[in-house]
Amino acid sequence: MLKAYSQAVGNASRGLAVVATALLIAAMLVVCQMIMQRYIFRQATIWQTDFVVFSATAAMFLGAPYVLLKGGHVGIDVVEMVVGDRVRYVLRIIGSLLGLLFCFVMLIATWIQFHDAWAGNWKHASVWAPPLWVPLSALPVSFAMLCLQYVAQILTLLTAPTAPAATGYGAAQAGSAPEAGLPPQEIIQ
């Protein structure tokens, strides 16, 4: 059951990473188009700046669950290097629980903002004036996926039988010696 949940959440995180990549590529192409339109053709740009800001911001948030899945977040591991395996294990659980709490609070806050923008038909204060619910929709989606990814990470940490005694980055599942030094995120993939 845990493996199926972790696999589903991991696949959803990978899907959002693909969307984030597409948004970044779209933002780059629009920047190139904006430069050509403005400096070569001497025409005004109306929607390009807003699109680039919104799509790059959405890409950053939508890509966050994949970063958590891969363990690519920025961390300071000086403390982890000097403590024992049991303390390292407890620190990972505490850190994951705090991350989950933060993401849950942000999920609630961003959902309220998204709903207000949707219900109030908020528009961006620019000439283009796109509805704000569109760019804001990336926030609750990304924080919801981050919550699900943290739950998968916590469950993996708690159910790995050799977690407190394992060496290296994480614990391996029983009978999976080739995975012994991998972080928990890599085990569930």
Side-chain angles (χ1 to χ4, degrees):
M1 182 75 164
L2 171 63
K3 186 171 174 109
Y5 171 77
S6 297
Q7 191 71 16
V9 171
N11 288 338
S13 294
R14 286 181 193 88
L16 287 180
V18 170
V19 172
T21 302
L23 285 169
L24 281 177
I25 291 170
M28 287 188 321
L29 292 173
V30 168
V31 166
C32 293
Q33 185 270 343
M34 180 172 56
I35 290 169
M36 287 181 53
Q37 182 173 345
R38 188 170 221 169
Y39 297 108
I40 294 174
F41 300 120
R42 304 283 186 207
Q43 297 174 345
T45 56
I46 296 173
W47 58 272
Q48 289 88 340
T49 303
D50 292 337
F51 178 84
V52 168
V53 169
F54 291 149
S55 61
T57 304
M60 179 183 65
F61 281 102
L62 292 174
Y66 181 74
V67 172
L68 179 61
L69 172 71
K70 291 298 187 180
H73 53 282
V74 175
I76 302 171
D77 57 355
V78 173
V79 175
E80 277 194 9
M81 290 171 32
V82 297
V83 298
D85 292 334
R86 180 77 177 155
V87 175
R88 187 178 306 121
Y89 172 75
V90 171
L91 285 174
R92 285 192 186 127
I93 291 175
I94 291 171
S96 296
L97 288 171
L98 290 174
L100 176 61
L101 176 65
F102 173 78
C103 289
F104 185 72
V105 169
M106 289 303 295
L107 170 61
I108 293 169
T110 57
W111 176 260
I112 291 169
Q113 187 179 23
F114 164 75
H115 181 267
D116 289 348
W118 173 277
N121 197 25
W122 294 356
K123 305 273 185 196
H124 188 259
S126 67
V127 176
W128 184 33
L132 278 178
W133 68 266
V134 174
L136 289 177
S137 64
L139 298 174
V141 168
S142 63
F143 281 112
M145 276 307 305
L146 276 168
C147 286
L148 294 173
Q149 194 64 58
Y150 268 118
V151 168
Q153 180 172 312
I154 292 166
L155 290 175
T156 300
L157 284 169
L158 291 176
T159 58
T162 58
T167 58
Y169 218 119
Q173 295 178 353
S176 60
E179 299 170 337
L182 296 177
Q185 299 91 332
E186 297 295 326
I187 294 170
I188 61 176
Q189 295 176 16

